[in-house]
Amino acid sequence: MFTTGIGYILLLLGSRRIGSGEAGLLSMLDVVLGPVWVWLFYEEQISLPVLVGGAVVLAAVLWYLASDRKTAVVAG
């Protein structure tokens, strides 16, 4: 309860500085990284569909962030 609460409070405070779409995309990292934390701390096996889905979301977030930085450099 403590770690989840702190995470959501930080997301709420940070979302004031970014757009709603970007905040939603970044909040998906919580869902994607959940199985990774369980695998690291409890040695639970992760299935292939979970790995593929997580890789798709992580690739989308990284692609979005990389493309956003390039346009900011060009415009600035």
Side-chain angles (χ1 to χ4, degrees):
M1 190 163 88
F2 179 72
T3 57
T4 303
I6 294 293
Y8 285 130
I9 288 172
L10 291 175
L11 178 65
L12 178 66
L13 294 173
S15 65
R16 294 178 184 173
R17 295 178 172 82
I18 59 176
S20 60
E22 191 173 6
L25 188 61
L26 291 174
S27 69
M28 284 301 297
L29 291 176
D30 180 39
V31 176
V32 171
L33 293 176
V36 173
W37 303 135
V38 172
W39 172 69
L40 284 174
F41 294 111
Y42 299 111
E43 298 178 8
E44 184 175 314
Q45 296 299 321
I46 300 175
S47 65
L48 183 62
V50 172
L51 288 174
V52 171
V56 168
V57 173
L58 284 176
V61 169
L62 292 175
W63 174 74
Y64 177 79
L65 292 175
S67 66
D68 191 31
R69 288 184 184 158
K70 288 179 184 175
T71 57
V73 170
V74 172

